[in-house]
Structure formats: structure tokens, C-alpha cells
Amino acid sequence: MAQPEIEQFKVSTRHFNRIMIAIDDDDFISSRFAFDYACTVAKMYSVPLAIASVMETGDLNVFQSLDPETLAAHRQDVANDLNAYVEKAKAFGILDVVPLIGEGKPGKVIVDEMVPQFKPDLIVVGSETHKGARHQTIGSVAAFVTRYAPCTVIVVRDPSSSPKPTDEPSARQ
Amino acid sequence: MAQPEIEQFKVSTRHFNRIMIAIDDDDFISSRFAFDYACTVAKMYSVPLAIASVMETGDLNVFQSLDPETLAAHRQDVANDLNAYVEKAKAFGILDVVPLIGEGKPGKVIVDEMVPQFKPDLIVVGSETHKGARHQTIGSVAAFVTRYAPCTVIVVRDPSSSPKPTDEPSARQ
């Protein structure tokens, strides 16, 4: 006999009602697969999709971040990219697309500002595939969001970026 | 203008072909929501579902792990629970259900033994809701699998276990 709560359990169909995709403006490759998946689910269930992009202010060095022109140009680039993603989602057939733009530490801005605002029940993030890294690693934003978000999180990996057989996993711990 | 690769990008529908759910035999609550979601997706796409359960050998103290009777009884309990999950998935309408049973450190057994064997493109894990913990944390198995699995991973959170508003996230880092 199994544990009583397992014996009595009946599987229920579950789906998501509000989806948020976190775009990494500097990593199109890992964002792309995550974006495909987020759009697929939002379209399938006809639910709102928020597209979140955070301008990582730590990206700019001190000189640049003091230069208002450089900062304004960088802000405009991030906004243009976000608008392009919004148009792609609409062209795919998603009716309710919500752009969210922020500045700061991406994981923290997503969890502390954007999630309370949009209230997603699913967050989609890419895994940040670092070219040349020996081991595939989860990015710091994906790790932060997976750990601290109050809802379900899916970390989408490019199916073609699987670790090579020479990456011996047993050496890891 | 957005970055050229974003401008040229066209969203594609993506779905999963082989799903693995990792059950925590000691945490029915967090396994339950993950199991619901894994079964929903496997049924929707009519794809195989592997149900993975790892007997955590570190759970038993040295005396117990030297006692063959205790060990055999614990093995039988884990196998009975796994069989019950298999029956639940079949009753829900999934035709191809593959039970996987292992022993050792759960994250490592899943990533190093079960994933190469079943070759999932999606792994579903629960988030381990620790009762009484001030902050909701991702469990160590979920963290390990999310970090080291070669495929997409979804960490499913019980929608009713969201952190309370008194849990001030800005205190975290």
C-alpha cells in the first residue's frame, strides 16, 4: 500500500492564467527559445502575456552612467528591442501583450517590482547559454527568479545546447 | 530600430516530446501540484511521461542503513508510492508511463542516471514548500536539477503557498 494521501489523490488538469516572459536584452539566443515557449502557452490558453525587460544599470561603467546621452541612447535601445518583441507576440496571435520595462538588478526588479504589478502564475526565463563555458550553467537571473518568485517558473533551454558527453557530470560535486 | 536578429525573428510554436516528473516521496504536497502539471502536459501532447523517484539513502541513519530489514522495508515503501503515482497517471489518461526508481542523492541520480536513460526534453519538479520557513525557498533537488539538467526545467509552486506580504523581499540581498 502507498501512503494514504497518494492513494486518495486524483490528478487535476492545471494550466496558467497570466504569463510573464523575462527577456535578456543582451542574450537573444537564450531569450528566443523562452519567448517561443511563452508565446505558445499564452496563445494556447488565450491569456495575457507580459514581456519584461530590465536595463541592467551595472552594465554601464561609471563614466558612461554619468553621461546622460549614453544612458538615454541605451534606454532607447532597450525600449526599441522590447517593442519589437511585443510586435512579434502580437503577430503570433496573442491579443493581450503587456510590455514591462525596468532598470537595476534584473532578478530583483522582476521579483520585487514586476511580479507584484502583473501577478503572473508562470514566469518563463531563458537559461543563458554562455558560449565556450565548459559546463552549461543556469544564469544568475534565472537562478534568482526560480528561487524567489512566488509562482511557477520555467527555465527554457535551447534543445541544441545540451552538454557534450565529455562534460563529465560526476566531477561536479 | 531594434537589434537586427530581433527584427528578423519569427515566433515558432514549441512543445515537449518526453516529460519527466521528479517525485519527492517525502513531500506529497509539493509533488502533487507538479504531478498535476506534468500529467496535464503529457496528456495534452500524447507523449511519454517518466515518473522518477529516488530513495534518499542519506535519510537513514548509519544503524538503520546497516539493517537490511529496515532498508528493504523503506525500499518497498518507495516502490509502492511510485506504483500509486503510475496508476494515477494512467487513470488520468496517459498511455505511456515509465516508472524510474533510484537510490542516492536525488538531484545527482536524476541528472546523471535517469536523464541520460529517458532523455526528457522537459523535467517537472516541485518547489518543496517547507512549512514554517519564513521565506519560500526552492528545494535543493529543484535547484540542482534546474542548474545541471541539459533540458528545460519547470519548478512548480503551489499557487496557495505564495509568500505573505510581510515577507519583505528587499531584505534579501
Side-chain angles (χ1 to χ4, degrees):
Chain A
M1 275 291 284
Q3 297 175 48
E5 67 264 37
I6 302 176
E7 287 289 347
Q8 287 150 29
F9 162 58
K10 194 168 173 292
V11 181
S12 308
T13 299
R14 298 209 174 258
H15 67 83
F16 298 106
N17 297 304
R18 295 181 72 78
I19 299 168
M20 175 185 285
I21 164 86
I23 289 299
D24 181 346
D25 195 56
D26 294 326
D27 186 356
F28 172 71
I29 298 297
S30 77
S31 293
R32 189 180 62 183
F33 290 94
F35 196 76
D36 277 347
Y37 178 72
C39 288
T40 299
V41 177
K43 187 179 174 183
M44 179 163 55
Y45 296 130
S46 303
V47 296
L49 176 69
I51 306 177
S53 181
V54 179
M55 189 174 114
E56 195 166 356
T57 43
D59 267 345
L60 305 167
N61 65 36
V62 177
F63 178 73
Q64 282 176 315
S65 58
L66 290 174
D67 169 7
E69 251 178 66
T70 307
L71 199 60
H74 191 53
R75 276 199 185 106
Q76 192 57 56
D77 288 344
V78 172
N80 288 346
D81 289 348
L82 180 58
N83 285 337
Y85 278 110
V86 169
E87 293 311 314
K88 302 291 167 186
K90 287 182 176 170
F92 185 68
I94 299 165
L95 301 176
D96 189 352
V97 183
V98 180
L100 297 173
I101 198 158
E103 283 180 30
K105 284 180 80 93
K108 225 172 126 44
V109 172
I110 290 164
V111 171
D112 292 353
E113 298 174 22
M114 293 169 163
V115 167
Q117 184 187 340
F118 182 73
K119 298 183 174 58
D121 52 10
L122 174 67
I123 301 175
V124 183
V125 286
S127 67
E128 294 181 41
T129 50
H130 296 286
K131 282 173 194 159
R134 183 172 180 274
H135 290 303
Q136 190 177 41
T137 56
I138 181 175
S140 61
V141 176
F144 189 90
V145 172
T146 307
R147 180 158 187 177
Y148 292 115
C151 60
T152 295
V153 177
I154 184 164
V155 179
V156 177
R157 281 211 171 79
D158 172 359
S160 66
S161 75
S162 301
K164 293 162 203 74
T166 50
D167 286 349
E168 182 48 67
S170 57
R172 281 188 317 248
Q173 91 168 39
Chain B
M1 276 289 285
Q3 298 176 47
E5 66 265 37
I6 302 176
E7 287 289 347
Q8 287 150 30
F9 161 59
K10 195 168 173 294
V11 181
S12 308
T13 300
R14 297 206 175 260
H15 65 85
F16 299 106
N17 297 304
R18 295 181 71 77
I19 299 169
M20 177 186 284
I21 164 85
I23 289 299
D24 181 347
D25 195 56
D26 294 326
D27 186 355
F28 172 70
I29 298 297
S30 77
S31 294
R32 189 181 60 183
F33 290 94
F35 196 76
D36 278 347
Y37 178 73
C39 288
T40 298
V41 178
K43 187 179 173 182
M44 181 163 55
Y45 297 130
S46 303
V47 297
L49 175 70
I51 307 177
S53 181
V54 180
M55 188 174 114
E56 195 166 357
T57 43
D59 268 346
L60 304 167
N61 66 36
V62 177
F63 179 72
Q64 283 177 315
S65 59
L66 291 174
D67 169 8
E69 251 178 66
T70 307
L71 199 61
H74 191 54
R75 276 200 185 104
Q76 191 58 56
D77 288 344
V78 172
N80 288 346
D81 288 348
L82 179 58
N83 284 337
Y85 278 111
V86 169
E87 293 310 315
K88 301 290 167 185
K90 288 183 175 169
F92 185 67
I94 300 165
L95 301 176
D96 190 353
V97 183
V98 181
L100 297 173
I101 198 158
E103 282 180 32
K105 283 179 81 92
K108 224 172 129 42
V109 171
I110 290 165
V111 171
D112 292 353
E113 298 174 22
M114 291 169 164
V115 168
Q117 182 187 341
F118 183 73
K119 296 184 176 57
D121 53 10
L122 174 66
I123 300 175
V124 183
V125 286
S127 67
E128 294 182 40
T129 50
H130 297 286
K131 282 174 197 161
R134 185 173 177 275
H135 289 304
Q136 188 177 44
T137 57
I138 182 174
S140 62
V141 176
F144 188 90
V145 171
T146 307
R147 178 157 189 179
Y148 291 114
C151 61
T152 295
V153 177
I154 185 166
V155 180
V156 177
R157 279 208 174 82
D158 172 359
S160 66
S161 76
S162 302
K164 292 163 204 73
T166 50
D167 286 349
E168 183 48 69
S170 57
R172 281 187 317 247
Q173 96 164 37

